[in-house]
Amino acid sequence: MTTTAPARTDLYPTRGVGEVTTPRQDPVVWSPPGTPGPVDPADLQGLERNGFLTVDQLIDPDEVSLYRAELDRLITDPAIRADERSIIEPKSQDVRSVFEVHRISEVFAALVRDERVVGRARQILGSDVYVHQSRINVKPGFGASGFYWHSDFETWHAEDGLPNMRTVSVSIALTENYDTNGGLMIMPGSHKTFLGCAGETPEDNYKQSLKMQGAGTPSDEALTGFAEQHGIKLFTGKAGAATWFDCNCMHGSGDNITPFPRSNVFIVFNSVENAAVDPFAAPAPRPSFIGSRDFTPVR
């Protein structure tokens, strides 16, 4: 006698014949009201409403210098450049991103464990958390390319197998974010609607998508509708500032054609209760250095 495994529920269909919108099925803030933590109630309400919250100075200037020096060390190390975890800028051939920095560098591993960082993630997600992804992003001046509009969760659901929207990211600025040097842009409130993108996921899509996005890219028509409904918020701030944002925020950043670099460290925390399963719309999971399969809680 043969048995058939029960069909799993896909709350957020994507990568089909056409685009489809699905109302959010999950909370934004998972901890009960009044749960103690470093995020005050007003900021949690803002996160619920807008999909993001900002901290004007998460780390102090001495810490910024420490992390900047470590970033510079990593991107100039020939062994790191040759590692598959490094993504190279197509035009300049400079290092654009280095993934899994909390495993490569003890300096960044300590930042992940810092209660100012992981404590906020636990409070927002209402559970222990693990690192789904970490990276440093380098956007030097004079032509570094941006990141086109997308929802991270669309990719993490389709290609990594995250079942629910129980994931939060933090971008910590290591250089000043001006309104001209390719800063982060978010459509406030867009996290309340999931946009399932059209088109199948190619095999080993990550090799192309980390350099230039293809699968999982919204249409111009969908982006226009989202922007008309939600508007666009551009984030500026001093080095040491941080932006926390929900996994389903529609966001992106422009090219940096100014002389002023824009670099940041980016950490994605996922609830241990939302561990990745088989991808929902891809032939196989992406490598663990992009979407971790190690669900060990951060301690």
Side-chain angles (χ1 to χ4, degrees):
M1 178 179 178
T2 60
T3 59
T4 302
R8 62 178 179 171
T9 301
D10 182 356
L11 296 176
Y12 302 105
T14 189
R15 310 284 174 100
V17 175
E19 287 180 321
V20 58
T21 57
T22 303
R24 186 187 184 102
Q25 306 294 302
D26 296 304
V28 178
V29 177
W30 287 73
S31 58
T35 299
V39 186
D40 66 40
D43 281 340
L44 286 176
Q45 290 171 6
L47 177 66
E48 171 72 35
R49 179 176 62 254
N50 298 315
F52 59 81
L53 66 87
T54 58
V55 180
D56 290 339
Q57 187 175 48
L58 183 69
I59 57 175
D60 65 36
D62 288 341
E63 292 172 303
V64 169
S65 297
L66 171 67
Y67 298 124
R68 278 284 301 279
E70 182 69 353
L71 179 149
D72 291 341
R73 182 188 74 80
L74 291 173
I75 65 173
T76 55
D77 183 334
I80 298 296
R81 180 186 174 89
D83 193 291
E84 66 174 344
R85 290 172 286 190
S86 292
I87 308 302
I88 307 302
E89 183 77 34
K91 294 180 181 178
S92 68
Q93 292 298 297
D94 293 330
V95 174
R96 169 175 175 162
S97 300
V98 179
F99 281 80
E100 216 171 38
V101 289
H102 71 295
R103 297 192 184 279
I104 295 174
S105 163
E106 178 52 41
V107 173
F108 285 115
L111 178 62
V112 165
R113 297 190 299 266
D114 191 312
E115 276 300 311
R116 293 171 297 179
V117 177
V118 71
R120 284 177 165 84
R122 292 192 192 105
Q123 185 182 4
I124 292 166
L125 300 180
S127 69
D128 280 335
V129 298
Y130 71 93
V131 177
H132 178 69
Q133 183 186 106
S134 71
R135 68 179 187 261
I136 47 174
N137 291 326
V138 185
K139 192 180 273 191
F142 302 114
S145 56
F147 293 84
Y148 197 68
W149 291 104
H150 64 286
S151 154
D152 286 330
F153 180 76
E154 193 279 336
T155 296
W156 299 339
H157 182 69
E159 300 186 38
D160 297 338
L162 295 192
N164 295 94
M165 295 179 183
R166 199 170 180 179
T167 315
V168 69
S169 302
V170 59
S171 175
I172 304 172
L174 301 181
T175 53
E176 184 155 359
N177 283 239
Y178 301 102
D179 58 4
T180 52
N181 66 340
L184 173 68
M185 296 181 288
I186 292 178
M187 297 184 186
S190 59
H191 63 303
K192 296 292 185 72
T193 303
F194 177 76
L195 179 64
C197 296
E200 293 185 354
T201 308
E203 187 173 355
D204 290 337
N205 179 56
Y206 74 94
K207 294 180 179 178
Q208 176 64 24
S209 67
L210 295 178
K211 298 178 182 180
M212 185 174 296
Q213 289 156 269
T217 303
S219 69
D220 291 353
E221 292 77 13
L223 288 171
T224 299
F226 267 60
E228 288 176 345
Q229 180 179 356
H230 301 293
I232 296 173
K233 163 75 174 174
L234 171 66
F235 293 84
T236 60
K238 300 287 187 181
T243 302
W244 291 84
F245 59 102
D246 179 82
C247 58
N248 191 46
C249 285
M250 190 65 69
H251 67 288
S253 65
D255 295 350
N256 182 13
I257 62 171
T258 75
F260 309 115
R262 175 184 172 263
S263 298
N264 68 297
V265 54
F266 183 78
I267 307 163
V268 181
F269 293 101
N270 188 39
S271 168
V272 296
E273 299 172 11
N274 189 43
V277 296
D278 290 340
F280 285 84
R286 297 189 299 173
S288 189
F289 71 85
I290 303 173
S292 181
R293 317 299 284 191
D294 178 355
F295 312 132
T296 305
V298 176
R299 297 287 187 231

